[in-house]
Amino acid sequence: MPIHDHLTAVADLAGNPGYAHAVTASGRLAFVSGQVAVDSGGRPVGGDMAAQTRQALGNLHRVVRSLGADWPDVVRFNWYVTDVTDIQAVRDVRDELIRPALGDRPNPASSLVRVAGLYLPELLIEVDAVVAVPAEQD
């Protein structure tokens, strides 16, 4: 696996159990476009922040898997939300879907940005990722 280290403790910097401050990787990197809560036909999936996070992460996971990678290969997430008061729902779904695959490793590096809106007004969240694509197996 091309991920080498997760930096979780930095002198004189508050820690956060929700993500790594930095992740080092080598090899091929894939920059995955933002995924939102739309179904396979491109129609928005309704619901609250948790339901939309689940759908957006499911869509992202499909892309990651198509690269021959999985959640442990994600180096970084960028989250874009329209309402930061629902951030705990994002964290809960992230942990539900991703933590089992990570085991005792920390979550990838992460940024979260509040935005005024996404390309459809009913969308609440978008997530993109940087993935360290594993070397092809012979």
Side-chain angles (χ1 to χ4, degrees):
M1 179 187 304
I3 292 179
H4 301 290
D5 193 25
H6 292 79
L7 180 63
T8 57
V10 176
D12 299 322
L13 183 62
N16 184 322
Y19 64 91
H21 289 292
V23 178
T24 58
S26 62
R28 288 188 322 140
L29 293 178
F31 298 84
V32 181
S33 294
Q35 301 297 310
V36 294
V38 296
D39 63 19
S40 61
R43 293 174 296 275
V45 173
D48 59 10
M49 183 67 83
Q52 288 204 11
T53 301
R54 190 170 283 104
Q55 180 69 42
L57 280 174
N59 293 344
L60 182 66
H61 196 221
R62 288 181 210 24
V63 176
V64 169
R65 295 295 305 257
S66 73
L67 293 167
D70 209 336
W71 290 129
D73 304 307
V74 174
V75 175
R76 178 179 183 75
F77 287 115
N78 291 306
W79 305 88
Y80 308 91
V81 298
T82 59
D83 185 355
V84 293
T85 62
D86 280 344
I87 189 61
Q88 191 58 50
V90 174
R91 290 177 178 151
D92 291 345
V93 173
R94 176 202 63 198
D95 290 347
E96 169 194 325
L97 298 179
I98 297 170
R99 287 286 347 133
L102 296 179
D104 62 351
R105 289 171 286 201
N107 287 324
S110 184
S111 292
L112 180 123
V113 179
R114 188 182 86 193
V115 296
L118 296 167
Y119 83 98
L120 293 173
E122 58 265 45
L123 294 175
L124 305 173
I125 187 166
E126 182 169 339
V127 59
D128 65 45
V130 177
V131 180
V133 180
E136 293 183 26
Q137 303 296 318
D138 293 327

